[in-house]
């Protein structure tokens, strides 16, 4: 689902955990080990047993590749010259330069890279993938499990706007099935949020590039608690427009089960815990709930409130 909004990159870059990660991305001496987590998850449908909850991850940059000199046809990321550059322009140019360098390295070292990404689509764009993960409660199927959610912030350096692409975690990922050696077998369907679990940043980038045609220049993985703490410490509360009144099931956050809740229609102020509840919980409904209450739309409402 594609949504256009202005100024979100500037807000996103000042998030406490994100700015530190992106700085590390530009430092070639930083080569931390990619994190491993959620070993208790299976490769197929929702987990019905209680998974092992591990400590919050620190976002990790992709390893530096040693390029083999070959020709590349990648688009050049050069923002439109401005008469008077802002502080944002000056700071963000470093990310533009780094993104271009990484694309050139991947084109030289990964023969499938040119097939996965679309040159015209990526021209004058820098793409940042956010992978948030945490606990879910989806009765009656699942009492407590771990799921993830992908959001791509694609910043157009010429128009100075950002597109937000959200992908539901139930999207099937053939790349993960091939990684696990179960492709084509009965009950082999595997969710896209499993890409990071079973293949880290490399498999996650390949999977999302295949799905969107966008070059994933930077990646950040974080626990839901990061969002809660960010809202509470930076904003105190987020003001959002709730499309319609709805009730939600209980939910888990950082190992604690919170009771069912209700969100009245109209303008509401939500604290950090309520933001997680608004995004992740399952609406209580006698029949299929309205499309305005889909998880991706509720996530976009929160993004709009933050920006």
């Amino acid at each position: 689902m594609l949504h256009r909004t202005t100024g979100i990159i500037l807000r996103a870059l000042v998030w406490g955990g994100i700015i530190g990660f992106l700085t590390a991305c530009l430092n070639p001496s930083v080569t931390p080990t990619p994190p491993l987590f959620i070993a208790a998850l299976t490769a197929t449908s929702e987990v019905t047993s209680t998974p092992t909850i591990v400590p919050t991850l620190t976002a990790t940059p992709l390893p530096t590749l040693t390029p083999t000199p070959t020709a590349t046809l990648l688009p050049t990321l050069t923002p439109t010259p401005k008469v008077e550059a802002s502080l944002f322009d000056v700071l963000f140019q470093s990310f533009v330069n780094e993104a271009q360098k990484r694309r050139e390295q991947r084109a030289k070292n990964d023969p499938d890279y040119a097939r996965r990404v679309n040159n015209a689509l990526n021209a004058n764009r820098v793409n940042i993938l956010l992978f948030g993960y945490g606990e879910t409660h989806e009765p009656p199927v699942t009492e407590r499990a771990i799921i993830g959610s992908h959001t791509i912030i694609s910043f157009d350096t010429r128009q100075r706007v950002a597109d937000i692409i959200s992908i539901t975690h139930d999207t099937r990922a053939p790349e993960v099935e091939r990684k696990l050696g179960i492709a084509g077998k009965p009950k082999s369907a595997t969710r896209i949020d499993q890409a990071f679990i079973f293949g880290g940043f490399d498999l996650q980038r390949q999977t999302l590039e295949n799905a969107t045609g966008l070059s994933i220049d930077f990646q950040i993985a974080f626990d839901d608690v990061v969002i809660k703490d960010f809202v509470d410490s930076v904003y105190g509360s987020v003001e959002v427009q709730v499309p319609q009144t709805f009730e939600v099931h209980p939910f888990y956050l950082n190992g604690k089960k919170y009771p069912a809740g209700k969100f009245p229609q109209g303008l509401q102020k939500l604290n950090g815990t309520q933001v997680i509840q608004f995004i992740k919980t399952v609406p209580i409904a006698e029949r299929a709930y309205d499309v305005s209450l889909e998880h991706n739309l509720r996530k976009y409402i929160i993004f709009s409130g933050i920006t």
Side-chain angles (χ1 to χ4, degrees):
M1 182 167 297
L2 183 66
H3 300 283
R4 181 166 292 260
T5 183
T6 58
I8 188 167
I9 286 291
L10 183 56
R11 295 278 190 170
L13 292 178
V14 299
W15 290 11
I18 296 178
I19 192 64
F21 169 80
L22 291 177
T23 301
C25 285
L26 300 178
N27 185 350
S29 66
V30 178
T31 55
T33 303
L36 299 177
F37 70 110
I38 322 176
L41 283 176
T42 63
T44 55
S45 59
E46 295 287 354
V47 180
T48 56
S49 61
T50 302
T52 301
I53 309 301
V54 300
T56 301
L57 297 178
T58 300
T60 306
L62 294 172
T64 301
L65 299 176
T66 302
T68 301
T70 55
T72 178
L73 300 177
L74 290 175
T76 301
L77 283 165
T78 304
T80 302
K82 300 176 178 59
V83 175
E84 184 177 347
S86 66
L87 177 60
F88 173 78
D89 296 326
V90 174
L91 293 175
F92 199 73
Q93 185 60 42
S94 297
F95 301 114
V96 172
N97 297 340
E98 178 65 18
Q100 180 66 26
K101 183 173 71 174
R102 292 186 179 196
R103 292 181 185 187
E104 292 171 355
Q105 290 175 340
R106 288 171 186 144
K108 294 173 183 177
N109 291 276
D110 184 349
D112 293 327
Y113 179 72
R115 177 185 58 81
R116 292 196 306 269
V117 303
N118 182 289
N119 286 351
L121 186 62
N122 287 278
N124 304 297
R125 286 183 177 274
V126 173
N127 307 307
I128 303 172
L129 173 62
L130 307 179
F131 177 64
Y133 61 90
E135 299 142 291
T136 184
H137 172 62
E138 300 181 15
V141 178
T142 302
E143 171 59 30
R144 186 184 179 202
I146 302 294
I147 62 171
S149 176
H150 294 103
T151 299
I152 301 173
I153 300 176
S154 181
F155 186 70
D156 188 322
T157 58
R158 287 188 173 179
Q159 299 186 48
R160 297 174 60 78
V161 295
D163 294 320
I164 302 177
I165 303 96
S166 296
I167 300 176
T168 178
H169 69 276
D170 285 325
T171 302
R172 185 172 180 176
E175 297 84 358
V176 183
E177 296 168 12
R178 289 193 289 268
K179 172 74 174 181
L180 297 174
I182 60 174
K185 296 181 180 180
K187 297 182 179 181
S188 63
T190 306
R191 303 192 319 262
I192 198 169
D193 69 337
Q194 308 282 291
F196 185 69
I197 296 169
F198 292 106
F201 285 126
D202 286 340
L203 182 60
Q204 180 170 254
R205 176 171 50 78
Q206 294 169 12
T207 302
L208 271 295
E209 287 177 344
N210 277 332
T212 65
L214 292 171
S215 176
I216 303 303
D217 302 311
F218 304 100
Q219 301 187 68
I220 304 171
F222 55 90
D223 189 283
D224 288 341
V225 177
V226 172
I227 299 177
K228 171 194 173 299
D229 292 342
F230 167 71
V231 171
D232 288 338
S233 61
V234 176
Y235 287 89
S237 64
V238 174
E239 192 171 66
V240 299
Q241 186 70 38
V242 180
Q244 64 176 294
T245 299
F246 67 103
E247 297 181 0
V248 293
H249 285 283
F251 72 106
Y252 283 93
L253 178 63
N254 201 26
K256 178 181 177 181
K257 187 175 184 179
Y258 289 82
K262 181 177 181 179
F263 294 97
Q265 183 179 22
L267 203 60
Q268 305 292 332
K269 287 187 175 182
L270 310 180
N271 61 29
T273 301
Q274 291 172 316
V275 163
I276 299 299
Q277 184 180 37
F278 184 82
I279 294 175
K280 295 189 61 176
T281 47
V282 178
I284 299 173
E286 296 179 358
R287 54 186 181 278
Y289 53 83
D290 191 271
V291 293
S292 66
L293 299 180
E294 286 289 343
H295 291 287
N296 282 342
L297 283 175
R298 282 184 273 157
K299 182 164 60 174
Y300 172 69
I301 290 172
I302 294 298
F303 265 104
S304 299
I306 290 176
T307 58

